[in-house]
Amino acid sequence: MIPFSSGTRLRDMIRAIRACKTAAEERAVVRKECAAIRTSMNENDQDCRHRNLAKLMFIHMLGYPTHFGQMECLKLIASAGFPEKRIGYLGLMLLLDERQEVLMLVTNSLKQDLNHSNQYIMGLALCALGNICSAEMARDLAPEVERLLQFRDPNVRKKAALCSIRIIKKVPDLSENFINPAAALLKEKHHGVLITGIQLCTDLCKVSPEALEFLRKKHTDGLVKTLKDAVNSPYTPEYDIAGIPDPFLHIRLLKLLRVLGQGDADASDAMNDILAQVATKTESKKNAGNAILYECVETIMSIEDNGGLRVLAINILGRFLSNRDNNIRYVALNMLMKAITVDAQAVQRHRATILKCVKDSDASIQKRALELVYALVNDTNVKPLTKELIDYLEVSDQEFKGDLTDKICSIVEKFSPEKIWYIDQMLRVLNEAGNFVKDEVWHALIVVISSASDLHGYTVRALYKAFQTSSEQESLVRVAVWCIGEYGDMLVNNVGMLDIEDPIMVTESDTVDVIKIAIKHHALDLTTKAMALMALLKLSSRFPSCSERIKDIIVQHKGSFVLELQQRSLEFNSIIEKHQKIRSALVERMPILDEATFSTRRAGLLPAAVSTSGGASLDLPNGVAKPSAAPLVDLLDLSDDLPAPSSSDGDFLQDLLGVDLSPAPTQSGLGQIQKAGTDVLLDLLSIGTPVQSSSPTTEILLPSQNDKSPIATLDARSSSSSLSAQATSSARAAPMMDLLDGFGPSPLKPEDNGSVYPSLVAFESSSLRITFNFSKQPGNPQTTLIQATFTNLTPNVFTDLIFQAAVPKFLQLHLDPASSNILPASGNGSITQNLRVTNSQHGKKSLLMRMRMSYKIDNKDMLEEGQINNFPQDLG
Amino acid sequence: MIQFVLLISRQGKVRLTKWYSPYTQKERSKVIRELSGVILTRGPKLCNFVEWRGHKVVYKRYASLYFCMGIDQEDNELEVLEIIHHYVEILDRYFGSVCELDLIFNFHKAYYALDELLIAGELQESSKKTVARLIAAQDSLVEAAKEQASSLSNIISQATK
């Protein structure tokens, strides 16, 4: 169009690019164009600037780098004409975003354009500011925008209103200035200004409580009237959509009313009538009407309770749910999820329909429905729901299986009424979708199996059968391998048959075959292989007749490139060959794994996974008989008799469990203990060793404050304990224990959240006073953080102060080091120490603690003891 | 609020992108790439909403083009469908039964129309007529400037003859 300019026209460039047959050709064309544009920019060719930027925007959309054009935008914006500004602002919004520093350079141009005499140029500036402004620009230009909210032209007012939304989102402090002008917009007649004004007020309410309070007091009635007028307004072709005058306005009004009604009975009351009218009178044949109904239902659910309205809303959702349109069903599921907190009963009525939606062919609907089903599960319906879900697992799409498996496992863990059911369901899941089962889920399953002693035979036989059909499911194989290693003898001899079982004939050799197949099928999986080797070692002792064959299989791995496997192979081989005498003792059945410890560890370690696993108390009544609670202590016995076949005992003990292959410390011993501090001690003691004679059900912990002494103390303890462990071996065992469980409590720093709980004088004698201050971490009601403050009431200095505390089994206690161990005389200063108590029976049992304080006055040992039963009730 | 607007052709070509929240260039191309993979493969009778990496995306197909809008979790999906339709009608009215080629060669005009409809990810105008009027007024401003420029260059060329 401009005769003497070089380069192609925009239209020609687009044609050339579209004509390209290959990506390489396209790149070549773009490269050539970019080079021409750069040259033209360097020559500062004013006439081509407009076109260059248009081309760059197209190139940008194709995904090529165009940063070199950013300055051109600024130049175009700074020029005087409307066409230049228009394309300049468009380029600015397209090529830049708020994080680029270049953007700051445009602030001044924006300011000028906001004060321009041409309303369209003002509009361009407002649009750009609203779409990409940064916090700094928002601060600089807020006064201009605020002023334009009262500009005479409505099209500028509406743009200014949306621009203000961006500003208050970027800088909430500025919201105060916008409250009055925004409220003034609510009285507008122009629809554009009205909907943007309502939107601005809604966003103001979100960032500013004052705005919310103000609008609620002064404007609720006005908005109700506006909505009434909108609902009853006659046909206007300009705003009509499917017979409804301006559904966008309806929806925004309903949204703002929701914000105002939430948590305020009077405001909610004022809008009841109009909500009822919208809910009953809106035409629901077309999407626009349904959009309004949907918004209306959400508002009814969110504002203060009105029984009649809620029934109306739930009925609308019921209608939605049976609609043939997938979109409507999707939003119905979405809204039922919110309704569940309001009226779970009403949602339960639609359970069958929701369950049908889980099996829908549409992935979006499946996902929503599954989440809803998950929220609907309770103790009474868990069995049929789980059955439905697992049945569906067999036929569902691969992409959906992961989500579905997660949810089923979570439901089974959370609501399982008895162990046999838990095991049955988990085996079905492993059978169908073992590859989707997460590690912690099958770890938990093993813990449960281990503790259900009456079901060992049943479980191992069921796993054996499942293995025959589904040997490709990794987690199933792992659990099967572990159980066969442990309970292989029960498999062969049909021990502990339940009435529901059919007897099966399995020979010892069949059992070994299973493990062999597992190794073959999962040749690439280190964990499975390692577990299989472990199982073989155990079987070699259980089935002496197969010992030779097992040895052959094990020996095959002595050349493995994986150190772990090679080491296991060599060690196990030498056990089978040379240590027949101790072998049976070495590979005794695992003691029952402690469920409570496992689940609290797991919850503590994986706070993010709480929704799927947290709080899942695995402490179930056994479907057949009660499990006997035997402590893990046996393991320590084992380690005593161990003739150290490996270079590192730590590894070996871990191997005994053979579950976790996390890199184990090869240098076990003292260093490890020192590092782990109290955690190690906690692990060792929490296993349930009856350490102190006084209270066998309590665990005694030591603060790591006396860092030098844990081992010494341990020595002293273990001699009085039921263990025959020597001092050294028990010290060595400590880190191993930690590894065995695979989970150490994560060292959380207690935060001071300001105590909302009354503080407590936990102990007071003539010489010492201890006060406790309590706090909780948000989202973790089970755990109480306690700050203990020690005050000396005597005129003598206390030295070597040591505070010990003991709690019952259902609590877990962690002590941080004290601030000092010297307590100045006569209350001239204090010592503080932080404690953390986790209550696994949160809400059922209250906290309880016994404590002992030892200290020295003039080198004379003093000892005081106390018990606290009066923890504040609400700590739970 | 609407986080982004995308127009993607059935072949996966991008015809328009607008981002109302900051995304880096890398994130942008990732969103476009992965999202078009999800949306283009969905069957015709399925619902118009997909959830993907924590985004909720409402999309609708018009002839060979998919109009997609990424929205917040609490937004009204059905309303966003209406907004998409609103935009399509505006384009249709502006171009006179719009087709993909119009949007390719006049992509900037599609952006101008969008800027009259949405700012900061919120709806600006519910009247198609008003939007059309505003775009027309700005277009005529551009035309007027062009004419002025060409008449100016005529005068210059005549004077220098």
Side-chain angles (χ1 to χ4, degrees):
Chain A
M1 40 192 191
I2 297 158
F4 38 80
S5 71
S6 60
T8 46
R9 297 193 309 161
L10 172 65
R11 186 164 280 268
D12 295 332
M13 183 194 81
I14 295 176
R15 267 204 200 106
I17 289 177
R18 279 171 56 76
C20 293
K21 296 235 160 41
T22 64
E25 265 180 66
E26 183 185 288
R27 276 200 295 275
V29 173
V30 170
R31 204 181 308 127
K32 219 174 88 198
E33 281 292 342
C34 282
I37 294 169
R38 275 173 198 262
T39 324
S40 159
M41 282 176 182
N42 288 340
E43 287 163 0
N44 219 351
D45 187 344
Q46 304 235 342
D47 298 322
C48 284
R49 207 168 258 160
H50 187 283
R51 184 205 297 170
N52 284 342
L53 188 57
K55 281 185 187 170
L56 270 184
M57 285 192 274
F58 191 84
I59 291 170
H60 177 86
M61 262 200 298
L62 297 176
Y64 295 92
T66 49
H67 48 273
F68 57 89
Q70 292 175 351
M71 283 311 286
E72 293 299 291
C73 298
L74 304 194
K75 286 179 194 163
L76 280 164
I77 290 169
S79 49
F82 178 79
E84 287 79 19
K85 279 187 189 294
R86 195 184 193 192
I87 193 104
Y89 276 119
L90 184 58
L92 186 80
M93 288 186 279
L94 211 58
L95 305 185
L96 278 85
D97 67 59
E98 60 175 283
R99 284 164 309 190
Q100 264 124 0
E101 295 193 354
V102 188
L103 197 61
M104 282 308 290
L105 301 174
V106 88
T107 310
N108 207 33
S109 299
L110 274 170
K111 191 164 195 160
Q112 281 172 10
D113 286 347
L114 289 174
N115 292 309
H116 206 280
S117 57
N118 183 331
Q119 55 143 318
Y120 295 108
I121 291 181
M122 286 171 151
L124 290 178
L126 282 170
C127 182
L129 193 63
N131 285 347
I132 60 165
C133 86
S134 61
E136 272 170 88
M137 291 166 79
R139 253 184 249 276
D140 289 345
L141 299 171
E144 263 74 22
V145 177
E146 195 191 314
R147 190 171 46 74
L148 291 181
L149 283 174
Q150 288 139 30
F151 194 74
R152 64 189 146 71
D153 186 87
N155 295 313
V156 171
R157 287 206 297 276
K158 73 184 187 196
K159 287 190 162 72
L162 293 185
C163 197
S164 309
I165 293 179
R166 172 115 184 169
I167 290 174
I168 57 161
K169 277 187 186 166
K170 290 283 160 201
V171 192
D173 304 348
L174 290 171
S175 53
E176 201 183 317
N177 308 340
F178 285 93
I179 297 175
N180 282 317
L185 297 181
L186 297 178
K187 300 192 180 77
E188 293 267 358
K189 289 281 171 278
H190 185 284
H191 280 225
V193 185
L194 189 54
I195 62 167
T196 52
I198 294 168
Q199 189 67 48
L200 173 57
C201 288
T202 311
D203 282 298
L204 272 170
C205 290
K206 282 183 198 155
V207 294
S208 151
E210 296 94 68
L212 176 60
E213 206 41 50
F214 172 78
L215 289 167
R216 188 181 273 159
K217 283 243 162 61
K218 305 271 179 192
H219 289 274
T220 306
D221 294 332
L223 286 164
V224 168
K225 181 160 183 315
T226 313
L227 182 55
K228 213 169 264 170
D229 293 345
V231 171
N232 299 323
S233 73
Y235 173 74
T236 39
E238 194 174 349
Y239 298 105
D240 185 82
I241 295 178
I244 297 164
D246 206 343
F248 301 115
L249 176 62
H250 283 81
I251 288 169
R252 272 164 193 69
L253 281 165
L254 287 167
K255 236 180 221 157
L256 180 53
L257 285 177
R258 169 159 81 240
V259 176
L260 299 182
Q262 227 158 14
D264 188 287
D266 292 340
S268 301
D269 228 31
M271 60 189 77
N272 275 342
D273 287 349
I274 185 65
L275 291 179
Q277 195 189 339
V278 173
T280 47
K281 293 253 175 78
T282 307
E283 176 65 58
S284 65
K285 285 211 181 66
K286 290 277 171 53
N287 181 56
N290 284 325
I292 294 176
L293 282 175
Y294 178 45
E295 200 67 46
C296 185
V297 168
E298 182 160 12
T299 300
I300 291 172
M301 291 293 177
S302 307
I303 63 170
E304 290 311 293
D305 192 21
N306 177 309
L309 272 184
R310 291 218 165 137
V311 171
L312 207 58
I314 297 271
N315 285 344
I316 292 176
L317 290 182
R319 260 196 348 254
F320 274 17
L321 204 55
S322 51
N323 199 303
R324 298 232 317 263
D325 184 346
N326 278 340
N327 288 342
I328 307 295
R329 284 197 295 149
Y330 176 91
V331 297
L333 292 168
N334 217 358
M335 191 56 67
L336 285 170
M337 196 75 198
K338 291 175 188 163
I340 213 167
T341 51
V342 177
D343 188 352
Q345 274 306 312
V347 183
Q348 288 284 4
R349 278 202 295 277
H350 298 292
R351 206 171 59 215
T353 324
I354 297 165
L355 208 52
K356 234 184 265 160
C357 292
V358 174
K359 301 169 187 172
D360 201 275
S361 56
D362 188 334
S364 300
I365 289 182
Q366 280 188 320
K367 205 170 158 198
R368 281 275 138 244
L370 181 60
E371 259 156 43
L372 194 52
V373 168
Y374 182 67
L376 281 176
V377 175
N378 59 28
D379 289 330
T380 54
N381 61 21
V382 58
K383 282 192 173 180
L385 275 180
T386 312
K387 183 175 179 311
E388 285 276 351
L389 292 178
I390 297 182
D391 285 346
Y392 183 60
L393 190 59
E394 293 172 21
V395 292
S396 65
D397 285 343
Q398 286 298 321
E399 296 93 64
F400 192 49
K401 274 197 171 127
D403 276 349
L404 190 56
T405 310
D406 273 0
K407 286 283 190 288
I408 295 175
C409 293
S410 179
I411 291 170
V412 170
E413 281 184 37
K414 211 162 151 186
F415 294 100
S416 161
E418 62 209 10
K419 283 190 173 163
I420 186 165
W421 186 84
Y422 177 98
I423 292 171
D424 278 346
Q425 306 309 312
M426 286 309 294
L427 291 194
R428 280 192 70 194
V429 172
L430 288 174
N431 216 347
E432 292 305 328
N435 290 331
F436 296 96
V437 171
K438 294 208 167 66
D439 279 354
E440 68 257 24
V441 173
W442 65 263
H443 288 177
L445 174 62
I446 286 186
V447 172
V448 172
I449 292 175
S450 145
S451 64
S453 9
D454 283 46
L455 299 174
H456 286 166
Y458 169 76
T459 310
V460 72
R461 283 187 292 275
L463 278 164
Y464 177 82
K465 279 183 258 179
F467 183 87
Q468 307 299 329
T469 55
S470 312
S471 60
E472 75 287 353
Q473 304 286 1
E474 201 165 60
S475 320
L476 174 78
V477 171
R478 289 181 185 171
V479 177
V481 161
W482 190 88
C483 287
I484 287 173
E486 290 300 318
Y487 316 119
D489 45 338
M490 297 180 154
L491 173 61
V492 174
N493 302 325
N494 277 331
V495 174
M497 283 288 284
L498 302 186
D499 298 341
I500 48 171
E501 270 186 276
D502 297 323
I504 52 168
M505 278 306 298
V506 185
T507 64
E508 299 185 347
S509 166
D510 291 344
T511 314
V512 178
D513 282 344
V514 166
I515 309 285
K516 209 176 155 188
I517 293 169
I519 292 181
K520 214 169 101 199
H521 271 258
H522 298 271
L524 291 175
D525 189 84
L526 176 63
T527 308
T528 312
K529 260 183 159 177
M531 288 178 74
L533 288 183
M534 194 66 231
L536 283 173
L537 176 67
K538 295 205 166 191
L539 288 181
S540 78
S541 160
R542 314 245 197 284
F543 309 147
S545 63
C546 293
S547 190
E548 271 307 304
R549 198 173 150 222
I550 288 171
K551 205 187 93 190
D552 289 344
I553 304 174
I554 288 179
V555 165
Q556 283 168 11
H557 291 87
K558 75 177 183 194
S560 170
F561 289 131
V562 182
L563 181 64
E564 177 68 36
L565 291 182
Q566 193 188 60
Q567 190 175 341
R568 276 185 201 225
S569 165
L570 288 169
E571 287 167 3
F572 294 175
N573 186 34
S574 78
I575 292 173
I576 295 173
E577 270 187 353
K578 299 178 198 148
H579 300 281
Q580 299 283 351
K581 277 204 293 290
I582 58 142
R583 184 175 63 185
S584 60
L586 201 58
V587 299
E588 254 176 25
R589 197 162 288 163
M590 286 287 289
I592 287 168
L593 304 166
D594 186 28
E595 292 177 46
T597 317
F598 178 78
S599 57
T600 49
R601 293 282 166 80
R602 198 172 149 198
L605 195 77
L606 304 162
V610 164
S611 62
T612 55
S613 65
S617 167
L618 293 172
D619 195 12
L620 310 165
N622 195 324
V624 179
K626 282 209 164 165
S628 58
L632 260 179
V633 185
D634 302 3
L635 264 181
L636 290 176
D637 286 331
L638 262 181
S639 74
D640 280 346
D641 304 335
L642 201 69
S646 78
S647 57
S648 67
D649 302 18
D651 271 355
F652 187 76
L653 256 182
Q654 188 208 3
D655 290 353
L656 273 181
L657 184 58
V659 174
D660 202 332
L661 274 182
S662 57
T666 38
Q667 75 293 38
S668 66
L670 301 186
Q672 188 62 26
I673 291 187
Q674 295 288 4
K675 243 195 293 166
T678 45
D679 283 356
V680 166
L681 270 173
L682 178 122
D683 288 345
L684 189 65
L685 294 172
S686 69
I687 285 156
T689 326
V691 185
Q692 279 274 329
S693 50
S694 60
S695 52
T697 54
T698 58
E699 19 177 315
I700 298 211
L701 301 170
L702 285 165
S704 60
Q705 159 203 8
N706 39 1
D707 239 352
K708 319 122 250 166
S709 65
I711 299 167
T713 327
L714 205 65
D715 290 352
R717 290 275 151 80
S718 54
S719 59
S720 71
S721 75
S722 61
L723 287 177
S724 61
Q726 279 110 32
T728 46
S729 72
S730 70
R732 224 188 303 129
M736 297 165 202
M737 275 311 192
D738 196 26
L739 289 168
L740 270 175
D741 287 326
F743 301 101
S746 50
L748 287 168
K749 264 250 149 67
E751 283 163 36
D752 194 358
N753 294 335
S755 55
V756 273
Y757 303 98
S759 49
L760 172 77
V761 178
F763 177 80
E764 185 157 26
S765 70
S766 56
S767 49
L768 180 67
R769 180 167 61 220
I770 305 174
T771 39
F772 280 5
N773 287 312
F774 304 96
S775 60
K776 296 237 179 205
Q777 280 172 329
N780 190 359
Q782 294 192 338
T783 302
T784 307
L785 305 174
I786 303 175
Q787 190 189 46
T789 311
F790 302 81
T791 316
N792 183 349
L793 305 174
T794 67
N796 306 310
V797 177
F798 295 174
T799 57
D800 295 339
L801 177 76
I802 295 174
F803 171 75
Q804 293 171 297
V807 291
K809 268 300 253 187
F810 65 89
L811 298 176
Q812 265 211 327
L813 177 60
H814 177 94
L815 286 117
D816 285 339
S819 57
S820 158
N821 62 356
I822 297 171
L823 191 55
S826 317
N828 285 331
S830 56
I831 294 178
T832 57
Q833 183 164 16
N834 289 324
L835 295 76
R836 195 171 71 230
V837 183
T838 306
N839 187 350
S840 62
Q841 306 260 351
H842 177 70
K844 292 188 208 125
K845 294 189 184 175
S846 52
L847 301 182
L848 199 64
M849 189 182 287
R850 201 177 274 179
M851 55 196 175
R852 185 158 73 174
M853 288 68 62
S854 63
Y855 52 89
K856 288 182 180 172
I857 303 176
D858 291 329
N859 269 338
K860 211 176 96 207
D861 283 331
M862 305 293 285
L863 190 69
E864 301 208 55
E865 288 183 319
Q867 183 163 340
I868 315 168
N869 305 324
N870 55 339
F871 280 99
Q873 271 303 316
D874 46 349
L875 282 175
Chain B
M1 72 175 265
I2 295 166
Q3 306 284 345
F4 55 81
V5 179
L6 296 178
L7 259 66
I8 304 171
S9 78
R10 218 171 43 169
Q11 287 80 31
K13 295 259 187 231
V14 181
R15 298 303 178 204
L16 179 144
T17 63
K18 188 92 181 174
W19 308 86
Y20 295 101
S21 302
Y23 289 79
T24 62
Q25 202 55 49
K26 228 182 181 170
E27 289 165 336
R28 289 181 186 189
S29 27
K30 197 174 154 204
V31 169
I32 294 170
R33 186 162 17 91
E34 297 190 9
L35 202 57
S36 45
V38 174
I39 290 177
L40 298 183
T41 52
R42 275 174 71 83
K45 286 257 173 77
L46 306 183
C47 72
N48 295 83
F49 318 123
V50 288
E51 284 164 65
W52 161 85
R53 290 181 186 267
H55 295 276
K56 188 179 273 182
V57 180
V58 178
Y59 72 94
K60 190 154 191 205
R61 183 177 163 181
Y62 289 87
S64 59
L65 273 184
Y66 285 85
F67 288 69
C68 319
M69 292 190 179
I71 57 171
D72 289 340
Q73 284 301 330
E74 69 271 11
D75 283 336
N76 185 330
E77 298 90 347
L78 299 179
E79 190 208 6
V80 177
L81 271 180
E82 285 302 324
I83 295 181
I84 290 178
H85 190 70
H86 198 51
Y87 180 46
V88 173
E89 286 192 320
I90 288 167
L91 291 175
D92 203 50
R93 203 177 275 205
Y94 181 70
F95 287 104
S97 72
V98 65
C99 69
E100 194 182 340
L101 278 182
D102 290 326
L103 299 183
I104 295 172
F105 285 102
N106 296 295
F107 68 92
H108 49 293
K109 294 190 172 159
Y111 278 104
Y112 292 144
L114 187 60
D115 283 342
E116 289 301 329
L117 186 69
L118 299 176
I119 290 183
E122 301 289 354
L123 185 73
Q124 183 187 165
E125 181 56 69
S126 50
S127 157
K128 295 185 272 286
K129 210 166 102 190
T130 311
V131 173
R133 192 164 49 76
L134 289 170
I135 302 173
Q138 295 180 63
D139 282 352
S140 63
L141 270 183
V142 174
E143 286 305 316
K146 244 192 229 168
E147 263 168 40
Q148 206 184 358
S150 64
S151 68
L152 210 65
S153 64
N154 278 345
I155 294 168
I156 293 171
S157 61
Q158 291 205 331
T160 52
K161 212 184 278 177

